[in-house]
Amino acid sequence: MRKSTFLKLKLREAAFISRALLSTNHVVLAHIIPMRRCNLACGYCNEYDQTSKPVPLDVMKRRVDKLAELGTSIVTISGGEPMMHPELDQIIRHIRSHGMIAGLISNGYYFTPDRIKRLNDAGLEALQISIDNVNPDEVSRKSLRVLDKKLRYLAEHADFHININSVIGGGIKQPEDALTVAKRAVELGFSTTVGVIHDGDGTLKPLTETEKQIFHSVKKLGNKDHARLNWFQDSIAEGKPYEWRCRSGSRYLYICEDGLVHWCSQQRGYPGIPLEDYTMEDFKREYKTEKWCAPTCTIQCVHQVGILDNWRDPQMTPVQIRREQKQKESVGQVLRVE
Ligand code: SF4
Ligand code: SF4
């Protein structure tokens, strides 16, 4: 990534963070899924299928327009494997046309020099690739040996920020691979993070002693900004719950391929409202709603968004929110009668 592009991105990120600290009335980060289909079938993953079609471009554009209307700062395209979407570049262009930061999460398989240059032209600003091991096995083929050539192409041609995420837990057989992956990422000039893989319902699988040691070594190598933002991981690695306020459904949105808003990839179905019908009333209710799954949640990006508001606006359980709503309605009725 050119130095001038990097500085521009950092300035834009700083402006978005200041805006998010000043006002709680807009979405900070949305993940949007243009394609549930994936070319791989990782053993721990519940976010892909092997048959679905790409979401049509006009539908994706309308969803992006709605996210802009909700004041969204960053839109990250995820999947499935979003690089399989034939009109990915136009989706990225549309995000940028609204002044939002455009990000992408990919398994890395489809990067060629020409494809990378087209992503540069479309205005992609940030890419994350998760690499699970050094050699492919039955759990995962997101492997350094398979992807190293793609990483070299990216180092040479990409004009967007690249983060390589290595992973620990979730049945990954050689935890020491995470350190090899992180070292290679640093060598190629990328930033690096480490994630604890969640289980089927998005919650924690405790790390073994060896995994814990490797986890801390990888963290030391990584991006210092991310390390500062990911302190929740230290509790999670120790198997301890972490107290925080998950603002999914408001400051963070997950939009599935059917255009429904969900708390996150691991809590699909809540609130399950179509994005086109999503109102600030929904946004405010979800902002205030305490998420039962928060103490053992391992989803890094939602934790990072949560930091912006952890210090303000305590949350309530859904039951308390319904009770408060009923009280307000009763007061409203009394006032109307009087
Ligand atoms: S590459 Fe990503 S979306 Fe595809 S199966 Fe693996 S984890 Fe799931
Ligand atoms: S705490 Fe939030 S991000 Fe984490 S699993 Fe629950 S809803 Fe998803």
Side-chain angles (χ1 to χ4, degrees):
M1 185 181 201
R2 278 177 300 174
K3 218 172 190 172
S4 57
T5 320
F6 177 76
L7 284 175
K8 260 189 231 156
L9 176 62
K10 283 285 151 197
L11 283 175
R12 264 153 58 67
E13 280 175 356
F16 284 140
I17 290 168
S18 313
R19 179 173 163 240
L21 286 169
L22 285 173
S23 156
T24 57
N25 278 338
H26 63 273
V27 178
V28 176
L29 169 67
H31 275 175
I32 190 161
I33 313 298
M35 180 110 194
R36 184 58 69 188
R37 191 164 165 188
C38 186
N39 54 320
L40 301 183
C42 304
Y44 55 81
C45 178
N46 57 11
E47 297 181 49
Y48 74 98
D49 69 27
Q50 288 174 328
T51 51
S52 59
K53 298 232 169 346
V55 179
L57 179 61
D58 59 326
V59 176
M60 287 307 297
K61 282 186 170 175
R62 279 203 297 279
R63 290 177 191 167
V64 170
D65 292 341
K66 175 71 185 202
L67 289 174
E69 212 179 289
L70 293 169
T72 308
S73 299
I74 306 166
V75 180
T76 297
I77 306 168
S78 182
E81 175 45 50
M83 291 284 286
M84 292 174 87
H85 195 290
E87 287 151 325
L88 177 66
D89 297 4
Q90 284 98 310
I91 300 171
I92 293 170
R93 277 201 180 88
H94 201 66
I95 294 169
R96 291 300 308 275
S97 74
H98 283 291
M100 302 183 283
I101 291 181
L104 178 69
I105 297 177
S106 165
N107 62 32
Y109 269 66
Y110 289 100
F111 289 99
T112 60
D114 175 60
R115 194 69 196 84
I116 296 165
K117 285 176 198 160
R118 283 193 279 133
L119 288 170
N120 288 341
D121 294 343
L124 182 67
E125 293 173 285
L127 166 71
Q128 172 155 300
I129 298 178
S130 260
I131 300 187
D132 295 342
N133 49 25
V134 173
N135 292 303
D137 61 23
E138 67 280 9
V139 175
S140 172
R141 303 187 59 77
K142 293 195 292 182
S143 314
L144 188 59
R145 192 160 63 81
V146 182
L147 291 169
D148 197 71
K149 188 164 96 179
K150 309 291 181 182
L151 299 185
R152 278 183 273 128
Y153 289 153
L154 283 162
E156 192 174 342
H157 301 288
D159 198 18
F160 39 86
H161 177 262
I162 296 161
N163 184 63
I164 305 297
N165 189 57
S166 54
V167 288
I168 303 257
I172 298 294
K173 278 194 188 143
Q174 310 277 352
E176 58 279 9
D177 284 5
L179 198 52
T180 312
V181 170
K183 282 182 181 161
R184 181 66 178 140
V186 170
E187 200 175 88
L188 289 166
F190 305 146
S191 69
T192 172
T193 47
V194 55
V196 180
I197 297 187
H198 45 68
D199 64 11
D201 64 359
T203 53
L204 176 71
K205 271 198 172 142
L207 296 187
T208 64
E209 275 313 310
T210 316
E211 285 174 334
K212 259 188 249 173
Q213 280 171 12
I214 295 163
F215 169 74
H216 288 296
S217 310
V218 178
K219 266 191 100 173
K220 272 192 205 138
L221 267 185
N223 179 327
K224 294 207 171 37
D225 293 345
H226 281 277
R228 270 195 292 273
L229 295 177
N230 286 344
W231 60 72
F232 75 94
Q233 289 185 321
D234 296 338
S235 299
I236 298 290
E238 292 299 324
K240 293 179 193 153
Y242 183 77
E243 289 310 318
W244 66 296
R245 293 169 186 154
C246 169
R247 305 290 180 174
S248 54
S250 59
R251 303 283 260 174
Y252 169 81
L253 300 181
Y254 178 92
I255 318 298
C256 73
E257 67 279 24
D258 298 322
L260 304 178
V261 178
H262 307 272
W263 280 351
C264 68
S265 64
Q266 301 308 307
Q267 294 298 345
R268 278 175 267 163
Y270 311 101
I273 296 170
L275 177 63
E276 62 197 36
D277 300 332
Y278 216 66
T279 62
M280 285 314 282
E281 206 175 304
D282 297 314
F283 178 100
K284 284 178 186 156
R285 181 193 62 244
E286 295 304 328
Y287 182 82
K288 278 199 296 190
T289 302
E290 188 180 293
K291 312 298 187 301
W292 61 269
C293 37
T296 53
C297 168
T298 61
I299 302 181
Q300 292 180 52
C301 56
V302 192
H303 273 272
Q304 289 170 358
V305 170
I307 287 169
L308 296 164
D309 307 306
N310 266 347
W311 53 282
R312 59 187 164 195
D313 307 326
Q315 292 178 312
M316 293 184 266
T317 63
V319 174
Q320 287 168 324
I321 289 179
R322 273 198 296 277
R323 200 177 298 140
E324 189 193 66
Q325 190 63 34
K326 273 200 184 133
Q327 277 166 356
K328 276 187 195 159
E329 281 165 12
S330 312
V331 172
Q333 273 169 5
V334 170
L335 291 176
R336 271 198 297 279
V337 168
E338 286 185 352

